[in-house]
């Protein structure tokens, strides 16, 4: 597995598009952990300008332990398209430039070739989760007034859930890239499916009362594993835990796209 990861890292090292997209993703994760408090302070100043001194948005514990873990992971998972695009470029370029044939000639089997991409997806997911954990820990230490070891790590399992969400989505993007083989078309299909098809299907079906639709749409299933946490700041009830049916749906999609991606490459004539 480490051999396959080293091969993939060597491939992406000279790739400018991969570096740009990955850098944009890391910057976006960093912004999540620095932008909210200045925005809340801006809102407070605006309220004061309108003689509304009693309203203080800065008391919202967005960056405080343990709230920070669900807050930042819910926001961060919506940035996943950036990493998805980087993997689409990686796998579609192999088909466009016929380097997959050279990989097979050099000794990699077709199965090892695609597993190396999946291993890369796992590496990116774990690296992103680790980066987000460090940012969350630093930000939480800055903004939490009463800190204890138990409070710091309470609900930190959301970081592991984030890694699973991201890995599942990246395997899905690999499936799309392998299926279509053209980077621009594959990215267009991914955007259209994620932002249009699933949203229309989910909105229509939930309107009709079919709430189970969230379990059969892959991206919605991934997104809903961590529920939106912010309504609790206006005294609404939110789900601040992971349910087994939602976790099972994501694991099922992960297994499905893992199998389908490998099968597509192994059965395809190079």
């Amino acid at each position: 597995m480490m051999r396959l990861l080293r091969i993939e890292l060597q491939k992406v090292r000279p790739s400018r598009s991969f570096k740009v997209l990955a850098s944009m993703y890391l910057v976006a994760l960093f912004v999540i952990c620095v932008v909210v408090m200045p925005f809340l302070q801006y809102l407070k100043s605006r309220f004061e300008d309108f003689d509304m001194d009693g309203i203080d948005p800065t008391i919202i514990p967005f960056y405080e332990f343990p709230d920070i873990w669900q807050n930042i992971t819910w926001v961060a998972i919506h940035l996943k398209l950036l990493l998805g695009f980087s993997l689409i470029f990686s796998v579609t370029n192999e088909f466009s430039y016929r380097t997959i044939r050279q990989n097979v000639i050099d000794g990699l089997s077709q199965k090892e070739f695609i597993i190396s991409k999946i291993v890369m997806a796992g590496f990116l997911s774990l690296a992103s989760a680790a980066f987000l954990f460090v940012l969350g820990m630093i930000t939480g230490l800055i903004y939490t007034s009463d800190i204890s070891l138990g409070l710091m790590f309470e609900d930190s399992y959301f970081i592991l859930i984030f890694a699973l969400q991201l890995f599942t989505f990246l395997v899905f993007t690999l499936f799309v890239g392998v299926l279509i083989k053209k980077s621009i078309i594959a990215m267009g299909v991914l955007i259209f499916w994620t932002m249009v098809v699933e949203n229309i299907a989910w909105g229509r079906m939930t309107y009709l009362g079919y709430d189970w639709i969230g379990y059969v749409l892959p991206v919605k299933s991934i997104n809903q594993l961590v529920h939106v946490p912010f309504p609790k700041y206006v005294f609404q009830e939110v789900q601040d835990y992971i349910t087994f049916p939602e976790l099972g749906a994501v694991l099922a999609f992960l297994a499905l796209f893992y199998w389908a991606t490998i099968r597509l490459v192994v059965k395809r004539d190079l």
Side-chain angles (χ1 to χ4, degrees), residues 40-41 43-44 47-48 52-60:
L40 295 179
Q41 291 169 345
L43 288 180
K44 180 182 178 181
F47 288 139
E48 290 173 349
M52 302 169 66
D53 297 343
I55 302 178
D56 184 5
T58 61
I59 66 173
I60 296 174

Side-chain angles (χ1 to χ4, degrees), residues 21-257:
L21 289 167
S23 298
M24 289 172 59
Y25 178 73
L26 293 178
V27 169
L29 292 184
F30 177 78
V31 168
I32 291 172
C33 293
V34 299
V35 75
V36 173
M37 187 54 67
F39 176 69
L40 295 179
Q41 291 169 345
Y42 167 77
L43 288 180
K44 180 182 178 181
S45 67
R46 297 300 298 167
F47 288 139
E48 290 173 349
D49 291 342
F50 288 97
D51 296 325
M52 302 169 66
D53 297 343
I55 302 178
D56 184 5
T58 61
I59 66 173
I60 296 174
F62 184 92
Y63 288 137
E64 295 184 19
F65 295 124
D67 286 20
I68 187 172
W69 300 121
Q70 185 175 3
N71 292 345
I72 62 175
T73 53
W74 184 86
V75 177
I77 197 58
H78 290 86
L79 304 171
K80 58 187 177 296
L81 274 174
L82 290 172
L83 273 190
F85 290 161
S86 68
L87 275 188
I88 282 180
F89 271 117
S90 174
V91 72
T92 55
N93 283 345
E94 300 271 13
F95 291 104
S96 298
Y97 297 110
R98 301 290 193 270
T99 51
I100 181 174
R101 292 182 179 179
Q102 188 61 47
N103 289 159
V104 173
I105 293 172
D106 291 341
L108 279 183
S109 68
Q110 289 172 251
K111 185 175 182 180
E112 283 180 320
F113 164 80
I114 193 58
I115 287 180
S116 70
K117 301 294 183 184
I118 295 173
V119 169
M120 185 64 175
F123 171 76
L124 292 174
S125 302
L126 291 175
S128 299
F131 184 65
L132 192 63
F133 176 77
V134 172
L135 288 176
M137 189 63 70
I138 294 172
T139 308
L141 289 171
I142 292 173
Y143 288 106
T144 305
S145 55
D146 186 15
I147 298 175
S148 67
L149 191 62
L151 193 67
M152 288 168 56
F153 290 98
E154 183 181 342
D155 291 345
S156 60
Y157 68 88
F158 278 108
I159 294 292
L160 295 177
I161 297 299
F162 167 76
L164 173 63
Q165 288 176 292
L166 187 57
F167 180 53
T168 305
F169 180 77
L170 292 181
V171 175
F172 173 58
T173 62
L174 283 175
F175 170 74
V176 174
V178 168
L179 182 66
I180 298 175
K181 297 194 294 184
K182 300 295 182 181
S183 59
I184 300 300
I185 299 175
M187 286 190 292
V189 168
L190 187 63
I191 293 172
F192 184 72
W193 178 268
T194 301
M195 297 186 174
V196 179
V197 175
E198 288 206 6
N199 283 329
I200 292 175
W202 180 81
R204 179 60 179 170
M205 295 296 283
T206 52
Y207 174 77
L208 295 174
Y210 301 113
D211 295 334
W212 49 263
I213 190 65
Y215 293 96
V216 298
L217 298 172
V219 179
K220 282 294 181 184
S221 181
I222 291 168
N223 288 345
Q224 75 177 8
L225 194 54
V226 176
H227 286 247
V228 55
F230 309 124
K232 65 185 174 184
Y233 298 129
V234 290
F235 308 108
Q236 295 184 32
E237 187 176 352
V238 300
Q239 181 177 311
D240 56 358
Y241 56 89
I242 306 301
T243 67
F244 284 110
E246 292 169 344
L247 179 61
V250 173
L251 292 174
F253 276 120
L254 174 59
L256 173 64
F257 290 124

